[in-house]
Amino acid sequence: MTVLRLAVLCRSLEPIRFGGTATAWFARQVERREDFKADVIDLQTTPLPELPGRIDQADAIVVVAPEYNHAYPGDLKTAIDAVREPWAAKPVAFLTYGGRSRGLRAAEQLRLVFAELHAVAIREGLGFHDVPGTFADGEPIEPGTNQAAGALLDRLAWWARALREARAVTPYEL
């Protein structure tokens, strides 16, 4: 089986930021699997001109995003727009966080953006609320979270293989 390349796109890996904690935990979930190899892309340290090439090399993408003002942050939108064509015909999943909604409103808006970019947003996602109390020692405290991450990765793997094969047979043209 060919290993799938998974881009994990986050705003910041700073340890004091929740996004960094959630991304590090998720990257550990990916490392435990044999079907994925993660490429963690920290938007705070990755120059925008590098992004299209890294997304182009990916078979699938997970976007880690907070919810701000019932939406997602502007710097994430700038990064998404900087990539453009490499998103096409690739599966995308969302790991969101913030408030009672667990970042759901950010994920819903991101689904609309990625649909316009011809990406396939999968149904499975991960969301965290009550940011300060959601993780302890780098691990989620809510039971079933690791299993939910596994289900997300299973579904993402299915779509990544299917779409990679489809792109190989018939290149996706915009």
Side-chain angles (χ1 to χ4, degrees):
M1 172 190 329
T2 304
V3 174
L4 298 164
R5 296 169 307 243
L6 176 63
V8 180
L9 185 67
C10 68
R11 293 181 65 223
S12 172
L13 289 175
E14 290 181 30
I16 60 168
R17 292 183 175 253
F18 183 77
T21 301
T23 301
W25 163 76
F26 187 75
R28 288 192 302 276
Q29 300 302 304
V30 175
E31 287 172 9
R32 293 183 178 122
R33 297 176 61 109
E34 296 179 7
D35 54 350
F36 279 112
K37 170 89 171 114
D39 174 20
V40 178
I41 304 170
D42 182 345
L43 292 177
Q44 191 170 53
T45 60
T46 303
L48 282 180
E50 271 186 33
L51 277 177
R54 289 174 77 177
I55 297 301
D56 192 47
Q57 293 299 311
D59 295 304
I61 299 98
V62 171
V63 176
V64 180
E67 180 180 315
Y68 285 143
N69 299 323
H70 290 228
Y72 58 93
D75 56 348
L76 180 56
K77 179 69 162 93
T78 299
I80 292 167
D81 289 346
V83 173
R84 305 287 303 160
E85 291 181 9
W87 299 116
K90 303 241 176 116
V92 179
F94 306 105
L95 185 163
T96 57
Y97 55 94
R100 293 178 190 245
S101 77
R102 299 174 172 250
L104 177 64
R105 292 173 289 228
E108 290 304 312
Q109 291 184 15
L110 285 164
R111 288 178 189 286
L112 296 172
V113 170
F114 279 101
E116 187 63 25
L117 295 168
H118 298 256
V120 177
I122 69 166
R123 179 189 176 279
E124 287 73 15
L126 296 167
F128 297 99
H129 68 354
D130 188 24
V131 174
T134 305
F135 277 66
D137 298 322
E139 293 294 319
I141 60 172
E142 188 173 326
T145 304
N146 289 347
Q147 292 83 356
L152 180 152
L153 288 166
D154 289 344
R155 185 70 67 202
L156 198 58
W158 188 94
W159 278 103
R161 282 189 201 94
L163 291 171
R164 181 173 63 187
E165 290 173 18
R167 288 189 313 272
V169 172
T170 308
Y172 193 90
E173 297 197 23
L174 295 175

